[in-house]
Structure formats: structure tokens, C-alpha cells
């Protein structure tokens, strides 16, 4: 039901880890995610530790879901000297193509403990349903 839009995203993520280059608005870093079905909904969980809730932007246009977030540096006093900085800063983004069988009008989002969780219900038209079979008396015979 979900499809990655960039098959080289993992190679970019690995290169960023090795080089230490952080994401920018023109070239954002990837954010790790899990996607699974839970009953009648698809769930997408994205790791965004240290990102403020107001720095997360979620858009859906047609069947394209885009999540962007920015981890900003913590405000430091003038007398603070950084000894070690391993936590990546910058812009993170993820785009997913959603299947037509998902109801993009009913997406919900929760953010807790650094995890953004999106729940997307399966559209009613995509759920299995029974078709009633009519009898012969239900049809009128046409005579020529």
C-alpha cells in the first residue's frame, strides 16, 4: 500500500552518516520509519528525536504524503564551548506514495517521545463486501 519514491535514499543516508553532512532545505536528510497495517488502518511511525512539534510539517497532495522536520541547534550561552557534537541537525524529509485504497482525508497524526505516528484508514471502497445475488423474479423479461 506504500511505496518509496527514491530508491537511492538509503545510500544518501549512509553517505551522510559517513561524511557528517546534515540536511538542508534543498537536500534534506532521510528519517527512519516503520510502516505496517493495524486492523483497518495503515500506521507510519517516523523517528524524529529532539525535533520540536512546531518544526514538523505534514502535507498530503493527491496520493503523495510529505513529512518535513527541522532539528535546530539548542540555544547555548556565550561561555559554552562544544566538546562533542554527534547529533545531526538540519532538515529531514520523507515522501511516500499512498495507494488509492487509503483515505487521505482521514489521516491523523500524534507526536510522542520523538516519534511521529500517522494513521491512515483504509477507504470504504477498498474494503471487501458481499454482493447480493438477485432471483429471476427481480428481472423483467423483454419481449420483442
Amino acid at each position: 500500500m506504500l511505496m518509496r519514491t527514491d530508491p537511492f535514499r538509503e545510500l544518501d543516508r549512509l553517505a551522510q552518516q559517513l561524511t557528517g553532512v546534515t540536511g538542508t532545505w534543498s537536500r534534506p536528510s532521510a528519517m527512519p520509519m516503520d510502516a505496517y497495517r493495524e486492523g483497518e488502518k495503515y500506521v507510519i511511525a517516523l523517528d524524529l528525536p529532539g525535533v520540536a512539534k512546531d518544526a514538523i510539517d505534514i502535507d498530503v497532495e493527491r496520493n503523495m504524503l510529505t513529512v518535513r522536520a527541522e532539528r535546530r541547534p539548542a540555544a547555548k550561552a556565550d561561555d559554552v564551548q562544544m566538546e562533542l557534537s554527534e547529533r545531526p541537525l538540519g532538515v529531514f524529509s520523507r515522501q511516500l506514495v499512498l495507494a488509492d485504497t487509503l483515505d487521505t482525508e482521514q489521516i491523523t497524526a500524534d507526536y510522542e517521545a520523538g516519534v511521529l505516528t500517522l494513521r491512515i484508514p483504509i477507504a470504504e471502497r477498498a474494503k471487501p463486501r458481499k454482493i447480493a445475488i438477485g432471483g429471476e423474479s427481480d428481472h423483467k423479461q423483454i419481449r420483442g
Side-chain angles (χ1 to χ4, degrees):
M1 293 269 182
L2 302 172
M3 186 176 93
R4 285 187 178 191
T5 58
D6 185 358
F8 299 104
R9 185 73 122 189
E10 288 301 311
L11 291 174
D12 286 344
R13 185 185 61 77
L14 182 61
Q16 287 171 353
Q17 284 180 341
L18 293 173
T19 62
V21 175
T22 59
T24 64
W25 283 105
S26 61
R27 185 127 174 100
S29 299
M31 60 185 82
M33 73 168 220
D34 291 334
Y36 54 92
R37 184 173 175 165
E38 184 178 78
E40 297 296 317
K41 294 182 180 180
Y42 268 88
V43 179
I44 300 169
L46 299 139
D47 283 348
L48 295 169
V51 175
K53 186 177 178 179
D54 64 346
I56 301 171
D57 185 40
I58 307 166
D59 289 315
V60 65
E61 184 177 337
R62 296 190 185 157
N63 288 6
M64 179 68 71
L65 174 72
T66 304
V67 178
R68 284 185 165 264
E70 183 176 9
R71 184 179 301 131
R72 300 173 182 122
K76 294 183 179 56
D78 292 337
D79 62 343
V80 172
Q81 181 178 341
M82 184 63 78
E83 297 292 329
L84 180 66
S85 180
E86 294 181 344
R87 297 171 57 214
L89 301 174
V91 180
F92 303 87
S93 179
R94 199 68 186 245
Q95 283 191 316
L96 300 168
V97 177
L98 303 177
D100 290 334
T101 56
L102 298 177
D103 187 354
T104 59
E105 298 293 323
Q106 302 299 322
I107 297 174
T108 60
D110 296 305
Y111 187 58
E112 186 176 335
V115 178
L116 175 66
T117 304
L118 305 171
R119 287 183 168 70
I120 310 166
I122 295 173
E124 287 297 321
R125 68 182 180 279
K127 293 179 184 176
R129 61 191 180 282
K130 294 284 185 185
I131 307 296
I133 301 172
E136 287 184 30
S137 62
D138 293 340
H139 300 287
K140 295 181 182 178
Q141 289 185 350
I142 299 174
R143 294 187 179 190

